[in-house]
Amino acid sequence: MIYPNIPHLARTPLRAWLALLLVPALLALPLAAGSAEAQGSKEPSAFPEQPGGMFGKPQKFDKTLPLYLQGDELIYDNAGNRVIARGNVEIYYNKNVLTADQVIYDRSANTLTASGNVELKEANGNIIRADNYTLTDDFRDGFVQSLSVVTRDNSRITASRGERREGNITEFSDATFTACKSDGNTPPLWCVGARRIIHDQQAGTISYQDAEFRLFGTTVAYLPYFEHPDPSVKRKTGFLAPGFGNSNDLGFFTEIPYYFALSPQFDFLFNPRYMTDQGVMWQGEWRHKLASGEYTVSFAAIDQDADKLPSGNQNLDGWRGSLETHGRFSLASWWSYGWNAIIESDDTFRRFYKLDSVLLTDRINDIWLVGQGDRSYFSAKLYQFGGLLVEDNDETESLVHPIIDHNYVFKDPIVGGELRWRSNALSFSRSDTANQSKDFISQDMNRFITEIKWRRRFTDAIGITYTPFGEVRGDVYQINYEDFSAPGVDLDDTFLRGLATGGATVSYPWVANAGATSHVIEPIGQIVAHNSHVDQALYPNEDAQSLIFDDTNLFDTTKFSGYDRLETGVRANVGVQYTFQGPVGYARVLAGQSYHLSGDNAYNENSLTFNPQSGLETDTSDYVLGAYLAPTDVFRVISQSRFDEDDLTLRRQDLSAVFSYGPLLAGTTYTYGSVFLNDAGTPTYDEQEEILGYATLRLTDRWTLSGSLRYDLDNDKVLTDSIRLAYLDECFMLSATYSETFITDEERDIRPDQVVMLRFEFKHLGGFNYETNVVNTLGGEDATGIKVP
């Protein structure tokens, strides 16, 4: 199969168009959408597939193996050329076991006829029960009366009789099929009854003639004929289940996808969408899998009538569209390459038609080559960045051509320690239009950085650990930034710079054991010495603008996230770590602070290219605290905090907690911090505080209630919320979701929205959904994570 990870309904045709009558009949909905999987849904089936489908893989009989027969009484009828076995008869052949009250083996006809409590356990897991069963001696073909089949996944077929012929086709007469369990005389939740059900194992199809769909034994839909693939089939040419929807901007829309299974290596999906308010959008996806990898190419295009757009933008009149491609290939055991690219006519097309998230802020295309060995790593990547914000336009883009990283760890110790060599090369260009804060015309930068790092660890007799380290780095920069620092001032320079780093980390763990628990208190101290001064305030900062000081980088030799900024001077980092390990619970807490002792404090520059209120801007830093707590299997907490060094005011907080007990699962994430803004050259700080909560309650073994809420504490405003009620048993899934979004951006057609979605799935028959206003959902997804058409 070409793509075994794709749900089978995503690439198999559904020929029973009359099956769509089931939807309004069952749920009384005005619209019925096709299979969620057929429309590229990200949500997997509620019923995981089994290898080989519900009937299992076809059996391959070894005719050289003997057939074993035993019973209480064995009669040889030489005149009739028969062998008759009676009483507790058991036949074993090719891992198939047949039991019955009586079996007659007709040597002339080469058939076995079993009667009385007949049960056939097939090697692939199916169980067939019947009053009478006639089959050939190789178990290939057979005729069954009063048939009952229990498949390997507990689906059931009952029939007045069944016949298997050509070792491939099984025909059931006056039959019913269901994947549901039923007790006693209680009818199953759903079943399909038909005059004839034919399973063609070679073609991979199951067809029904004169069929009825029944709920709790009551017929709700009549289907003269329909056919669907065997659940073992993942790819078959034909129509997929159609999709329907309704939108404020698009009106009523529908998709009728057609899938072409062209070969085992490549296929094509053609899924045009008709919209009453916008016309026809032509869509398609090509997939190709090769021996060394795979790639995809998809397109979407529409002849746009600008007057039908909410904004009425006449610049968008005419053809609009996009071309998207992804690929990943292996060159050798250590090397791989690939790409991700989207070419689009304008930066609003994909978001308006929900091919991308409405909150997407950047378009990132890349081509990459990666090689990784036991002790080395190489990466070469080319990027193209495009801005999608309100102030961005067609001239706002950045090109990285390329960025190269190389890391190597020397095999043999050097002076008893580990030696690492790391290099980075970058070629970068950007074009911007003038704005109030910076009159950029063009920005170009080329750089090469290489560094050597060495460290060694010692432990003395009393348990104190010493880790001396040394680093040497050299940089070559060539930059051309016009109007960089002020109007009329250009920056065109080539320069060299270097950095030498030395220091040591000392820790002294104190261990105490009490019964089954252990306690470790570990004071940690570190001294790091760099060059006292490196001129960098007026030079560009492209990759070190994100600066978050917390417990994870307290003992790093530099707290910057990229290469363009260097830590300078002498700094001492101190902290204490406590670790608790018990038979059930676990806890680790790290608290510490950083001190700038001499030289320039690189975190207190006048440059406004990163947040100068990071907690490191003064000689005595803020306090950082990290707590990782799991007192029981029921409750877990991760907390990262930063407190002001003078009055312990909370400056930054990231908190996540998860509670799971019995039928309840709940979690929350709280974030607080100040975002640095540089509006028109004036530094400002916007405090942001937000909380996200979610919970799932299993009401019964089949019913589940869940909900989520995202709340902006600063503006006292709900951002998103949702609630979902779901039912799931062995054969049927139903979910109802209501979600709201309260985010507004009129420039980008983002408005407050409410979405109601119903989705149901019948095991082996497929899933359907109905959704209102689907294209206005945030990110093209509803609260359940289902990607809308």
Side-chain angles (χ1 to χ4, degrees), residues 351-632:
R351 286 175 292 166
F352 179 77
Y353 289 104
K354 292 302 174 285
L355 302 175
D356 282 338
S357 167
V358 294
L359 295 182
L360 190 67
T361 59
D362 295 282
R363 174 72 62 222
I364 302 176
N365 300 322
D366 69 309
I367 302 175
W368 51 268
L369 171 68
V370 172
Q372 186 167 0
D374 292 335
R375 311 185 69 84
S376 62
Y377 173 82
F378 175 88
S379 170
K381 298 182 180 180
L382 287 80
Y383 289 97
Q384 187 271 336
F385 297 91
L388 300 178
L389 297 176
V390 175
E391 63 269 17
D392 293 320
N393 52 54
D394 293 339
E395 299 297 326
T396 306
E397 66 174 14
S398 304
L399 297 175
V400 178
H401 41 81
I403 181 170
I404 299 174
D405 286 291
H406 175 258
N407 297 320
Y408 181 76
V409 180
F410 289 85
K411 180 178 180 180
D412 299 323
I414 305 298
V415 196
E418 180 188 75
L419 187 66
R420 293 175 175 264
W421 175 32
R422 184 171 69 169
S423 299
N424 172 270
L426 169 68
S427 178
F428 171 87
S429 64
R430 179 195 291 124
S431 60
D432 281 350
T433 55
N435 56 53
Q436 294 180 351
S437 61
K438 299 177 182 178
D439 292 327
F440 290 158
I441 298 176
S442 65
Q443 307 165 0
D444 300 285
M445 180 176 73
N446 301 289
R447 77 179 187 206
F448 176 76
I449 296 169
T450 188
E451 59 184 353
I452 296 290
K453 295 185 175 183
W454 173 91
R455 64 183 55 217
R456 183 179 180 183
R457 185 175 181 178
F458 304 90
T459 302
D460 64 16
I462 64 173
I464 300 178
T465 299
Y466 307 88
T467 308
F469 55 85
E471 303 173 7
V472 178
R473 169 175 160 174
D475 303 350
V476 180
Y477 274 78
Q478 189 279 321
I479 55 177
N480 184 348
Y481 275 33
E482 299 186 29
D483 299 329
F484 173 74
S485 58
V489 177
D490 296 340
L491 181 63
D492 187 357
D493 195 8
T494 299
F495 64 92
L496 304 176
R497 70 181 184 184
L499 185 72
T501 301
T505 304
V506 180
S507 64
Y508 187 15
W510 297 351
V511 181
N513 295 316
T517 64
S518 66
H519 305 263
V520 180
I521 298 177
E522 183 180 14
I524 306 172
Q526 182 187 67
I527 188 76
V528 184
H530 307 281
N531 300 20
S532 62
H533 172 77
V534 175
D535 187 11
Q536 54 184 336
L538 295 180
Y539 291 113
N541 178 10
E542 298 294 346
D543 64 359
Q545 298 195 27
S546 175
L547 180 56
I548 298 176
F549 176 48
D550 58 25
D551 63 291
T552 62
N553 58 8
L554 173 62
F555 295 102
D556 288 351
T557 56
T558 178
K559 313 286 191 289
F560 287 114
S561 59
Y563 288 101
D564 284 336
R565 285 295 179 265
L566 303 175
E567 184 176 296
T568 55
V570 179
R571 182 170 289 274
N573 304 309
V574 298
V576 60
Q577 180 172 262
Y578 167 74
T579 304
F580 167 83
Q581 183 69 59
V584 177
Y586 170 82
R588 183 172 69 87
V589 179
L590 174 62
Q593 193 175 27
S594 182
Y595 301 89
H596 178 249
L597 304 180
S598 65
D600 292 342
N601 184 355
Y603 305 106
N604 192 28
E605 295 184 75
N606 294 325
S607 171
L608 300 179
T609 54
F610 65 93
N611 187 351
Q613 287 197 351
S614 62
L616 294 163
E617 67 276 6
T618 58
D619 289 343
T620 302
S621 77
D622 288 347
Y623 296 98
V624 293
L625 174 66
Y628 307 86
L629 310 175
T632 68

